[in-house]
Amino acid sequence: MTDTRERTSPLALLRPETRLTATERRIADHLALNWAEVPLASAAEIAQDLGVNPSSVTRFAQTLGYRGYPDLQRAVRLELRARHAPAPLPAESQAAAHWAREMAVFTALAALPEDRLDRVADRLAAAQRVWVTGARGSAPAAAYAAHLWRGVRPGVHLLGADAGADPERWLDAGPGDVLVAFTVRRYAQGTARLVQTLTARGVALVLVTDGPAAPGARQAAELLVLPAPGPAQGEATEGRFVPLAAPASLTALLAAKLVGRVGTARLEAAERELGEHDVLTY
């Protein structure tokens, strides 16, 4: 078997000129369209999506010069890691390039169906407890969400990246609860494990992410896929520091919708306490 892995990008091997059978071409086209999800999708899941036998996915990877599908996944994961290394903005007009991408994100964000947001707000209002989690770059988004929502309703709990190893923090989780998980590429393993643990206990999952194949997407009761800034034209990498403008804005919108469902009593009580303890300057 010719080993092309060291000198050829896995994505380049999927090009139309690569000689493949009809089934292998279907697999190649599917992977090319869902390239960033390859490290997350098993051979069985790909086979199910395409209506082929899992062994066809294995043979496809071997045709490309890999030992099997897991070997292809590792190569794709390495390539994606290289692409997501933080890169500086273009030297010319850094600010203009940055704000143009951010504005494009908000334009796309405004297209989210409001009935989907209303369903999430309904779940947040009706839940016995609301658990919020996010790790690494998504941790600030989770912390901001917990901060806003606990000001509107009781029973909002923030679970950090280490929560999986601290079960006493979520032992009470169960049916009637909601877990809101923030996760973006490259998807923290701790968040994925916590999602599996809590959904297995009957907790409904609201997943806020940047791709429909993120870990937990198949278990999500509600899936909110947020747009992310794309690369600047001519840049060799797609890497960016995790952008939080979209999830922060979404969180504030859901807080406002939550107020419309549960009222302002808790907000007003908190304001009175802040005033009595002279916490803020006004």
Side-chain angles (χ1 to χ4, degrees):
M1 181 182 300
T2 302
D3 190 349
T4 59
R5 295 171 295 162
E6 297 300 324
R7 55 186 176 83
T8 307
S9 159
L11 183 58
L13 297 174
L14 305 183
R15 291 172 179 166
E17 56 266 27
T18 302
R19 296 184 62 182
L20 300 170
T21 67
T23 297
E24 289 171 343
R25 175 49 56 193
R26 287 180 59 204
I27 297 171
D29 292 344
H30 178 77
L31 296 186
L33 287 173
N34 301 278
W35 187 240
E37 280 72 50
V38 171
L40 309 172
S42 67
E45 288 170 336
I46 292 173
Q48 183 178 12
D49 290 342
L50 293 173
V52 302
N53 194 291
S55 62
S56 297
V57 180
T58 299
R59 287 194 297 271
F60 164 77
Q62 292 170 342
T63 297
L64 297 186
Y66 297 92
R67 289 186 294 273
Y69 180 70
D71 197 26
L72 172 59
Q73 280 185 303
R74 281 190 289 271
V76 173
R77 190 176 293 115
L78 288 173
E79 180 166 316
L80 289 173
R81 285 176 180 171
R83 292 186 181 190
H84 282 77
L89 290 167
E92 64 283 0
S93 191
Q94 287 185 322
H98 174 79
W99 295 123
R101 285 196 291 273
E102 290 294 316
M103 291 299 292
V105 165
F106 277 93
T107 298
L109 189 61
L112 275 177
E114 188 146 9
D115 62 342
R116 189 178 305 165
L117 301 176
D118 286 333
R119 291 199 303 268
V120 173
D122 289 341
R123 288 182 180 275
L124 293 177
Q128 182 176 350
R129 287 170 291 257
V130 175
W131 308 88
V132 188
T133 192
R136 295 189 60 80
S138 297
Y144 183 57
H147 167 70
L148 289 187
W149 299 343
R150 71 164 59 108
V152 180
R153 57 148 294 165
V156 178
H157 307 277
L158 178 64
L159 298 174
D162 60 344
D166 193 3
E168 292 84 358
R169 295 168 60 186
W170 45 261
L171 275 178
D172 296 328
D177 293 358
V178 168
L179 170 65
V180 182
F182 293 83
T183 185
V184 297
R185 295 182 182 93
R186 296 176 284 160
Y187 307 122
Q189 295 279 14
T191 300
R193 285 191 289 267
L194 188 62
V195 162
Q196 294 294 333
T197 298
L198 267 63
T199 54
R201 297 173 68 90
V203 177
L205 172 63
V206 174
L207 189 66
V208 184
T209 185
D210 59 356
R218 294 174 184 262
Q219 292 80 33
E222 299 291 345
L223 179 63
L224 296 177
V225 178
L226 304 187
Q233 185 175 5
E235 285 192 343
T237 68
E238 299 173 2
R240 283 292 177 275
F241 300 109
V242 176
L244 295 177
S249 185
L250 172 71
T251 291
L253 173 58
L254 290 174
K257 286 181 174 291
L258 186 56
V259 169
R261 286 158 173 77
V262 304
T264 61
R266 187 174 174 87
L267 283 171
E268 292 167 359
E271 282 297 319
R272 288 193 296 271
E273 292 296 327
L274 290 172
E276 288 180 11
H277 291 86
D278 200 24
V279 174
L280 303 174
T281 56
Y282 64 89

